[in-house]
Amino acid sequence: MNKVENTAINSYNKANSAQVSLQTFVNDPYKQKLQTGLGSPNAPDIFFNWGGGNLEQYVKAGQVFDLTSALNGDSTWKKSFIPSVLNTAKINGKYYGVPVEGVQPAFFFYNKDVFAKAGIKTPPASWNDLLTDVDTLKSKGITPITVAGSQGWTELIYLEYLLDRVGGPTKFQNIVDGKAGAWKDPAVVTSLTMIQQLVDRGAFGTNYASVNWDNHGTQTLLSSAKAGMELMGSWEFSGLLGTFPDVIKQNKIGWFPFPGGIPGGTGNPKDVVGNPDNYLSVTTTSKSRDTAVDFLKKTMADKNYVKDLISIGQVPAIEGIQNQLSTGSYGDYNTFVYSLVKNSPSFTQSWDQALTPAVSQSLLTNLQKVFNKQMTPQQFADAMDQGQ
Amino acid sequence: MTTRTTQRLQASFVRPTVTARLLRGRRRERPNLLGGLASVVWLVIVAVPLYYLVASSLRPSSEYLTAGPLSIPHHPSAANYSTVLSSGFTRYLVNNILVTASCVVLVAGLALPAAYAIVRSRSRFVEVGFTVMLMGLAIPAQATIVPIYLMITRMHLYDSLTAIILPTSAFSLPVSILVLTGTLRDIPGELYEAMNLDGATAWTALRNLVLPLTRPALVTVGIFTSLGAWNGFLFPLILTQSDSKRVLTLGLWNFQGEHGADTPAIMAAVTLSMLPLLVLYLIGRRHLLNGLTAGFGK
Amino acid sequence: MTTSVNSGRPGAIWAVPALAFFAVFALVPMVLVVALTFTTWNGLGSPTWAGLANWKHLFHDATLGQSLWLSFKLTVISWVVQTLVALPLGVWAAGRQRNRAVLSTIFFVPLLMSSAAIAVLWSALLDPNFGLAAKIGPWLGVKDGNFIGQPSLAFYTVAVVIAWQYIPFHTLLYQSATRQIPEVLYEAATMDGAKRLRQFWSVTLPQLRNTVVTSSVLMLVGSLTYFDIVLILTNGGPGTSTRILPLHMYLTGFSSFQMGYASVLAVILLVAGTALSLVVTRVTGFRRMQSQREGL
């Protein structure tokens, strides 16, 4: 992804007198760096964020420049973005960011060789199928599902999907809106219980709590056929492409949506969770604000940029690119992701981006404890309800 | 030395030949098996991770997953080292040197006059100041990160090497002053008086008497401060941001994040981060280690 | 010729630069941190007044008790383990035999490594699937190499890594101190027929008393600040099983962005550090250490 951004930056710099440069950090330190950076006189001009609640806190602190007039004034620019994705950067009726990468729903990746060897002919289509496959893989001595337990956000995807499947998207909306008792809803407890049942079933193996995502622990296990599946956001594809290109080029990795068919569940099995997109926003204190906005206008929907994004397996949140996607490289994957998003009635944003940092922190810590059987689902609900 | 001491020492010198023969004979008869065994165990505990570090760094990345962690690399290569060096490590090294050198100069320049004043001046103010400094030994630096972050940003020093140098030096002051006052106290008062009688000013006394005699302690202070500044992590973490201001420790952590699956490259980065100190260590090991503990001998 | 009492003595002004510098960068923050406990601040913008809200929150912080307990446990365990290993090792290393010098060279290498370097190295070693932990785990009864992921085991693993980092330094202290023990004492003991073990108990240990105190003071006060390694190795996890107090404070401030409450935790850390330091130095008479070599 960095390469694509650098290409875009280089072409912009060549074509314009003002110059742009890129600074990168890893996921977890980035959020802290951004927070402290924005609070300082060395704030960047443009910064990467997750929209929704994550962007909202910066907006509340007056750090973000309102892009509404820039967008409204250039309808070609505005119309190129998929509206539902652009709207995640809409806070209090105003636009504060534009999509920079692709839509990023979460779903299951799986190793085709592992499945074949275990005699699993097709990926699971329902929850019960998934459980059966877990048992099959376990009996063959393979870790059925790999999860990076040393970081809470990778485990969060399970809770996000299960809550949606069990109770529909309104359950989380209640939590975001701060409705009383939202955390103690029975659907929350049920979802967590199901997670612990998965743990007890051996679905994640035994040492998942030491596995780390930032250093590609799960990718390594999945690619080296030591694990069967991984539930992760669509960015995992370009990640695998970067670290283990052979396994993608040899078509060893497959994908399937998070199954529905949970007994007693009321959620739509087509709902997705994940990151609608990532966004670039401009800081109010930027001394080169016009350049920053100009860069965004000229690059974010530029056809070369979009083409580059597609070539690394990203599905940009741009309208009307179906053809480009299916005929481009990794067409199957990109079409899968695009239709998943287009056909979903609801796209819930990752909870740790939608909620405040303080709540996200305790959410992740407590969820880790649930996964490690250090906390019961009810204790989790009580703790989150009390703001612990 | 009193007469009694001298006599006892002389007495003990009278007997050496007998004693020495006895002792030498003894030691050759019974080697310290238990001690030897324990030291070998500890050697394994220290050396195995270090072996893993170097061996992995020389392993081509593609081999890492298949070869065992402790196996000898089949095709040792320095490719990982060039990967690391081309990722900006030289810049981090330069930053590290700048920060460390500045801290040493700042600390030595502040601590020596202060220690001198503490030992020789009769000021109540200085006495109180010294006590406060000693209490400072107990201040955990982490406890101050929030206010220091606030201060540094308000001083417009955020994301600069200066931002690292200032608090790091400040927290090295108590130990340095402690070591220096210890040494200065050992200089007999008569020597100071002698200089006074000759009409020397405090400044002259510092230059001609104090400086030469405190050289070992200054080396200790220098080494202590250097080690602390070189390996500092917390202040750089909070107070810097851009790549051009990164020090080795942060660069290393960032490198681990970016190259996560490439363990051999990460191990090469770790080795490189230690290399300057390791070289100094191999050259002047005795000096380095003596310097570290000279101040604690009393 | 009369000389005034103070001629040739440095005046107070000599100490002012150091004191002023220390005051600005160490004392002022201490005062500020107390002031910040009465504010709400998320790192952006300016702190806003919050009265006693953060202090009241102390009583509702479910993790605080665990953090304090973990810090206490880590301090005690570190002190016991590190002293028990460093003391005999230092004495052994003080011997003049050639092989001891060679081995000692290796022993002291960890001293040169930054906390970040050590933590990154051990992260790789402790990888449950591809690191040393995968190989050695079964021998130690941890079948799946899951050292850093099991809540109970993670804590002890962190303690081990920290010991690995600091034992070399304390070994050095003991080695240096042992080398300064005069030979005459050992000769006298041998004269009296004492064997090696007896000599260790009756000669070496008493002579090392001051060093034990120095080493222990450094360990106890330092243990409150074992931060870097824990941050990089576990980030306080799994869950909160390694979330010692400094880490709890850092995460509250720079992850949850609740700087006001983080300041409260910082104050607790400060008070604990100062109290511990006072108690230990008072009890052991650190500042007034008597020479062990009187009469020689």
Side-chain angles (χ1 to χ4, degrees), chain B residues 133-147:
Chain B
M133 274 268 169
L134 285 185
M135 305 277 306
L137 273 172
I139 301 179
Q142 286 100 16
T144 57
I145 49 177
V146 174

Side-chain angles (χ1 to χ4, degrees), chain B residues 184-286:
Chain B
L184 283 173
R185 282 215 171 106
D186 282 342
I187 301 177
E190 299 91 54
L191 289 177
Y192 288 112
E193 301 304 331
M195 290 218 97
N196 278 355
L197 285 173
D198 287 343
T201 60
W203 173 244
T204 329
L206 177 76
R207 229 188 9 192
N208 299 341
L209 174 67
V210 171
L211 258 179
L213 287 180
T214 55
R215 199 162 299 161
L218 279 174
V219 171
T220 302
V221 165
I223 293 178
F224 242 86
T225 311
S226 301
L227 270 184
W230 185 269
N231 289 332
F233 181 72
L234 185 60
F235 287 129
L237 179 67
I238 305 292
L239 301 172
T240 61
Q241 176 184 309
S242 51
D243 194 62
S244 60
K245 301 290 184 288
R246 241 171 229 162
V247 291
L248 275 176
T249 45
L250 286 184
L252 188 57
W253 196 25
N254 197 59
F255 191 82
Q256 181 201 39
E258 280 189 8
H259 296 257
D262 195 355
T263 306
I266 298 178
M267 293 298 107
V270 172
T271 314
L272 276 177
S273 76
M274 298 169 48
L275 218 48
L277 285 183
L278 190 63
V279 165
L280 284 175
Y281 176 67
L282 290 174
I283 296 178
R285 181 169 66 90
R286 191 157 299 151

